[in-house]
Amino acid sequence: TSAPGGANTGTAGSATPRTIIGDDDRVPTPMPHAYPARTTVFIMATDMDGRKRGCTGFMYGPRSVATSAHCLLGTAGWNTDFTVTPAVSGAVPPYGVCGWLKATVHQDFSTHRGPEHDVGALQLDCTVGQTTGWLSPGPDDFTAVGDPVSTTGYPLDKALWEMWSTSGNTTDATENTLRYDLDTVGGQSGSAVTRTENPSVAVAIHSSGFATDNVGVRLNNEHTEDLLNWSSSLPDPSEPSLPSSGSS
């Protein structure tokens, strides 16, 4: 399901708190303005109560950002007023701040809030990806238990707009999800999970956590195809917004 930029409905998502597993292994991202870290974006949104909500996303095209569906669509409707700040790690955004044209989530998440399909995307009013580069959004069907993985994002227990990274290993793999011992907290939803040996390909989108491991939605063939389809049908920035429409 999609909403165009300008749709003024929505509430905050109800994400499960993310987990620090044992010692906190997160570190400030060493080179936040180098590829591939600079494909990471900080997403700010407003819920229906007027509260600001922070999430992470990553560029997967010139003006396409992948993130968690719950960062875009709450239990009562769409969040709105999205702003996207690429590669920021400190007070000054190195590539400016982008607005949005369209928000889209997987149809199953829209109707049932199915956690195994917690995948969404924002299409931007800028082409900042031409400068930052982007990650390939899967497809992944080869990541196995024990494989080393990493993620980079914007944890809300740290200073605002500060990029942090962590590495670990996968602990379980199913058709639609990957579990791992990466340390994450709120705000890191939507972060790309990458295999350490190939950081230019996102194999999952981080979404939630449990006591012993954290979970991402696997960018399998279905989810990868969805992301690519959503980015291929963009509204013209010069045209007025259309009524909400579309489905995955």
Side-chain angles (χ1 to χ4, degrees):
T1 299
S2 301
N8 192 24
T9 59
T11 62
S14 53
T16 304
R18 264 62 66 192
T19 305
I20 301 298
I21 302 165
D23 294 333
D24 189 347
D25 295 324
R26 295 172 299 163
V27 297
T29 303
M31 296 184 291
H33 302 157
Y35 183 87
R38 68 186 182 211
T39 66
T40 307
V41 306
F42 179 65
I43 300 171
M44 185 70 78
T46 304
D47 69 18
M48 187 170 277
D49 295 325
R51 294 173 297 183
K52 294 295 184 181
R53 300 288 179 174
C55 271
T56 301
F58 62 93
M59 302 299 303
Y60 74 95
R63 53 177 174 148
S64 298
V65 170
T67 188
S68 294
H70 72 255
C71 293
L72 310 178
L73 179 63
T75 55
W78 294 94
N79 293 340
T80 190
D81 296 334
F82 297 103
T83 58
V84 174
T85 309
V88 64
S89 194
V92 180
Y95 302 107
V97 180
C98 297
W100 65 298
L101 298 174
K102 184 175 70 171
T104 315
V105 302
H106 191 283
Q107 184 65 53
D108 181 80
F109 186 87
S110 176
T111 55
H112 306 296
R113 298 192 73 80
E116 70 277 11
H117 299 298
D118 190 359
V119 175
L122 285 170
Q123 310 305 330
L124 307 182
D125 64 358
C126 69
T127 56
V128 68
Q130 292 180 343
T131 302
T132 63
W134 56 81
L135 303 183
S136 172
D140 173 65
D141 60 2
F142 49 80
T143 301
V145 173
D147 284 350
V149 290
S150 303
T151 192
T152 294
Y154 294 97
L156 296 180
D157 65 336
K158 304 297 184 181
L160 185 67
W161 287 8
E162 196 168 283
M163 190 188 297
W164 288 68
S165 298
T166 186
S167 297
N169 298 92
T170 55
T171 57
D172 188 51
T174 69
E175 178 183 359
N176 288 308
T177 62
L178 290 177
R179 290 178 179 250
Y180 34 75
D181 58 8
L182 301 174
D183 292 321
T184 61
V185 302
Q188 291 176 258
S189 289
S191 302
V193 178
T194 62
R195 289 165 60 92
T196 304
E197 65 186 29
N198 189 5
S200 65
V201 177
V203 298
I205 297 176
H206 176 66
S207 61
S208 57
F210 296 91
T212 58
D213 52 19
N214 289 309
V215 183
V217 178
R218 193 171 196 161
L219 290 179
N220 54 25
N221 287 326
E222 176 193 358
H223 295 143
T224 297
E225 184 176 351
D226 284 340
L227 287 170
L228 296 177
N229 286 340
W230 298 339
S231 66
S232 67
S233 56
L234 294 177
D236 186 329
S238 66
E239 295 178 355
S241 298
L242 302 174
S244 298
S245 63
S247 62
S248 64

